[in-house]
Amino acid sequence: MQDEKLPRREREKRRHRRQMLAAALELFSKKGYHNVSMHEIAERAEFAIGTLYKFFKNKEHLYKALMMEKAAEYHHTLSGVLSREGDVLTILKDYISAKAGIFADDVATLRLYFAETRGASFNIKAGLDQDIRKLYDELVEQLASTLEKGIRKNVLRDLNPYYMAVALEGITNAFLFCWLEDPERHSYKANAPVISDMFLKGVMAE
C-alpha cells in the first residue's frame, strides 16, 4: 500500500531492487556467497550489469542489504509475538511456532544463513554483520525479558533469563537445521510442540 503512494519512477526503482535481491538470494542459497558473481546476479535478474551497480556498489554491499532486509523482517515478526500481552507460556509457544511460519515461505534465506555460519555453529552470531547482530541481540534481550516475566509470576524456574533465552534460541535453531537437512523427516512445524515441551519441561523423567 505504501508503494502505491510513491511516484511511478520510485515504484519502479523499488521493484527492480526487489527483483535483484530475489535473484541474489536464489543464487547465494544454491551456490554460496563466494561462488556467485555480480554478473550472474544481473543475468538472473535480467538487468544489465551497469544497472545492478547503480543499486549496489559491490557484491558485499548487495549481500549486506539482502541479509539486513531479511533480518529486519524476522525481527519485526518475532518481536511482535514477544510484545503481546497475556500468558507467558502461550507467548513462548507462539514464538517457537512463529519461526516455522517465517522460514516455511523463505527456505532460501535459511539455507544461506546456515551455509554461511555452519563453520562456527557454536557462535550463533558468527559471520553476521554488526547491524544484524544488533537486531539479534535486541531480540534475545526481548526474549529474556519475556522469560523474566515468567520467573516473576512463578511460572518458570528462577534461572538467569538471558541464558534461558540463549538456550531456547539454540534449541530452535538446531531444529531448523535438521528441518533444512531433511524436511520430510524433521518438519519444524510438526516438531514445534516437541521443542516447547523439551524447553519448558526438560527431558528428565518425573
Side-chain angles (χ1 to χ4, degrees):
M1 290 298 291
Q2 291 181 337
D3 280 9
E4 293 177 2
K5 299 177 182 179
L6 297 172
R8 184 181 62 82
R9 182 173 293 182
E10 184 61 27
R11 292 201 306 271
E12 282 288 295
K13 187 177 179 180
R14 291 194 177 194
R15 183 171 63 83
H16 291 167
R17 186 178 185 276
R18 286 195 294 267
Q19 290 173 332
M20 292 171 185
L21 290 175
L25 175 58
E26 181 183 353
L27 289 168
F28 286 150
S29 67
K30 288 181 178 178
K31 302 174 65 174
Y33 172 80
H34 297 289
N35 298 316
V36 176
S37 69
M38 289 290 275
H39 279 86
E40 286 180 276
I41 295 170
E43 183 178 346
R44 180 62 60 90
E46 299 183 345
F47 287 102
I49 185 66
T51 304
L52 181 62
Y53 276 112
K54 286 181 181 179
F55 284 81
F56 307 101
K57 61 183 179 181
N58 53 41
K59 188 172 71 168
E60 182 180 355
H61 179 225
L62 187 156
Y63 181 79
K64 178 180 176 180
L66 172 63
M67 296 307 290
M68 190 64 201
E69 192 170 289
K70 292 297 182 182
E73 290 176 11
Y74 303 154
H75 181 275
H76 177 75
T77 299
L78 295 175
S79 178
V81 174
L82 295 175
S83 298
R84 296 174 187 166
E85 296 293 331
D87 176 61
V88 170
L89 296 184
T90 300
I91 292 172
L92 291 174
K93 290 175 182 178
D94 288 346
Y95 177 83
I96 292 169
S97 298
K99 287 195 173 186
I102 291 172
F103 290 113
D105 298 323
D106 204 352
V107 178
T109 302
L110 180 62
R111 184 180 295 113
L112 177 61
Y113 172 78
F114 280 121
E116 294 301 315
T117 60
R118 185 181 300 185
S121 58
F122 290 103
N123 181 0
I124 189 79
K125 297 186 290 185
L128 298 185
D129 179 85
Q130 185 176 355
D131 293 333
I132 299 177
R133 288 186 184 189
K134 186 172 181 247
L135 279 179
Y136 177 77
D137 286 340
E138 288 174 359
L139 188 66
V140 172
E141 290 292 349
Q142 189 178 4
L143 178 57
S145 178
T146 299
L147 291 162
E148 189 174 11
K149 290 178 184 176
I151 294 171
R152 289 200 305 266
K153 293 180 179 180
N154 294 318
V155 174
L156 300 173
R157 290 174 59 195
D158 188 7
L159 301 172
N160 185 305
Y162 177 79
Y163 294 141
M164 292 170 73
V166 171
L168 180 53
E169 282 297 285
I171 293 172
T172 54
N173 285 325
F175 272 83
L176 283 171
F177 183 74
C178 287
W179 172 63
L180 185 61
E181 291 284 280
D182 192 341
E184 291 188 8
R185 183 181 178 191
H186 304 295
S187 165
Y188 182 91
K189 184 176 181 180
N191 281 325
V194 177
I195 299 170
S196 297
D197 191 62
M198 288 178 65
F199 178 75
L200 296 172
K201 297 181 181 179
V203 294
M204 289 184 63
E206 295 182 358

